[in-house]
Amino acid sequence: MKLIMAAPRGFCAGVERALKIVDEALELLPHPIYVNHEIVHNSHVVEFYKKKGVIFVEEIDDVPDGSSFIFNAHGVPPSLVKASKERGMKIVDATCPLVSKVHFEAIRYAKQGYKIILIGHEGHPEVIGVMGEAPDAIYLVEKPEDVDDLEFTQDDKIAYITQTTLSVDDCAAVISSLKKRYPGVSEPKKADICYATTNRQEAVKQIAEKCDVFLIVGSPNSSNSNRLREVAKAGKGLDAYMVNCAEGLDPKWFEGKQTLGLSAGASTPEKIVSAVVDRLKAECGLIEVSEFISREENEHFALPKIRA
């Protein structure tokens, strides 16, 4: 079996920024360092920082007053920001700038009196954060069929925004349904699905045409990793699997297969990908490895100033 590895894959600029923020906080701020939810959706990254003493919490009540508190890369609702300030916490915001863009769009549309349609997955931290900006004005839809349940009139001012980690094709289908029902709907000047999500999905699409099985390396709660698996499966109906680590591989997946495609979610460390490849070589019949470069990425996001 031969392997075609997608590039770009793995860490994006938003994830790299978030992890550098935690690193600097560990160096500069009073310990312990608290992070709400997971800094990014990857269990290996979370365990790495737990070993350094970082404490991950789901509820602000678990954070003592005055503590060092980092907001995760997916963004948080303004209610959490307000509560943290009221309790004298040393706040560091690791929200990806591209997620912040969606927050700002929600705020602007709400101030202008729009009814806002958010395309996203219910319960995802990014969606929770964005909806918190204007809870009385934002309506969540996940699929084209949900558009039929909207009760707006043609006289309403309507706009849509989207989660940054969606399937590009699935999101386009929802947007198409919206525009058919509400031709005057306003849209972001630039698509909200982030460059990293788009680039990784495009690379997977191109590689999948040459493969008879596909593998995504990412944690189960990673939205962009799950979307990559769906994209890999969609074109030719390939068998497409997702693993969190090398131990998750099942050699039976690759029996009789000639060409394997591989990519990794935007929060997956490259060392985890390397471990997966090593096991593929040792136990799954892999004898040849190549890389398919869809496009180069050189995005970089500045860090906030962190002062003790």
Side-chain angles (χ1 to χ4, degrees), residues 23-306:
D23 290 337
E24 287 204 6
L26 283 166
E27 181 179 347
L28 299 174
L29 297 182
H31 289 207
I33 305 294
Y34 291 84
V35 175
N36 84 295
H37 191 54
E38 297 180 352
I39 185 65
V40 297
H41 279 162
N42 186 273
S43 61
H44 304 286
V45 171
V46 171
E47 287 302 315
F48 173 80
Y49 283 111
K50 281 183 177 179
K51 291 177 180 177
K52 290 195 167 194
V54 175
I55 300 172
F56 294 88
V57 299
E58 294 297 329
E59 302 294 337
I60 191 174
D61 292 343
D62 296 326
V63 184
D65 292 356
S67 297
S68 303
F69 194 27
I70 300 177
F71 298 151
N72 68 71
H74 308 100
V76 301
S79 58
L80 182 60
V81 180
K82 182 175 182 290
S84 303
K85 290 179 178 179
E86 288 174 347
R87 294 179 51 192
M89 296 179 186
K90 182 71 175 179
I91 299 170
V92 184
D93 190 357
T95 302
C96 173
L98 299 180
V99 174
S100 296
K101 165 186 177 287
V102 183
H103 280 250
F104 295 143
E105 288 168 349
I107 294 168
R108 184 178 70 252
Y109 281 133
K111 286 183 177 179
Q112 295 174 353
Y114 281 86
K115 297 183 185 298
I116 306 163
I117 299 164
L118 172 59
I119 304 171
H121 296 297
E122 186 173 8
H124 190 279
E126 183 179 332
V127 166
I128 293 171
V130 173
M131 293 191 74
E133 297 290 358
D136 295 331
I138 299 180
Y139 304 80
L140 182 66
V141 300
E142 297 193 47
K143 53 189 182 298
E145 294 78 12
D146 294 339
V147 174
D148 296 334
D149 296 330
L150 297 173
E151 299 180 349
F152 307 136
T153 70
Q154 298 299 328
D155 294 328
D156 288 324
K157 292 175 63 176
I158 305 169
Y160 78 81
I161 55 179
T162 84
Q163 185 179 330
T164 63
T165 55
L166 299 177
S167 159
V168 173
D169 292 339
D170 289 350
C171 187
V174 178
I175 292 171
S176 177
S177 293
L178 276 173
K179 289 183 174 180
K180 285 180 181 177
R181 185 166 183 189
Y182 303 106
V185 65
S186 295
E187 60 186 351
K189 293 181 180 179
K190 185 177 180 181
D192 289 332
I193 296 179
C194 77
Y195 78 92
T197 297
T198 302
N199 290 350
R200 281 151 186 73
Q201 289 181 20
E202 183 57 34
V204 166
K205 281 183 183 179
Q206 293 183 46
I207 292 173
E209 292 298 318
K210 309 172 184 179
C211 300
D212 49 14
V213 63
F214 218 100
L215 186 65
I216 304 298
V217 186
S219 287
N221 63 338
S222 166
S223 175
N224 74 86
S225 297
N226 279 285
R227 303 295 80 75
L228 288 176
R229 189 191 68 82
E230 293 169 0
V231 167
K233 189 178 181 65
K236 293 166 49 179
L238 294 180
D239 289 332
Y241 304 97
M242 191 167 80
V243 296
N244 192 34
C245 58
E247 289 73 22
L249 289 173
D250 184 346
K252 292 181 180 178
W253 295 342
F254 312 108
E255 291 178 354
K257 304 297 184 182
Q258 295 183 329
T259 307
L260 165 65
L262 183 146
S263 188
S267 53
T268 303
E270 185 63 18
K271 67 179 182 179
I272 304 300
V273 177
S274 297
V276 167
V277 174
D278 287 343
R279 189 174 179 211
L280 286 167
K281 290 178 179 178
E283 301 180 34
C284 303
L286 178 63
I287 59 172
E288 179 184 335
V289 179
S290 62
E291 187 173 62
F292 175 86
I293 301 174
S294 174
R295 67 175 61 212
E296 300 286 346
E297 287 183 350
N298 53 16
E299 283 78 5
H300 172 76
F301 298 137
L303 299 182
K305 291 182 180 179
I306 300 176

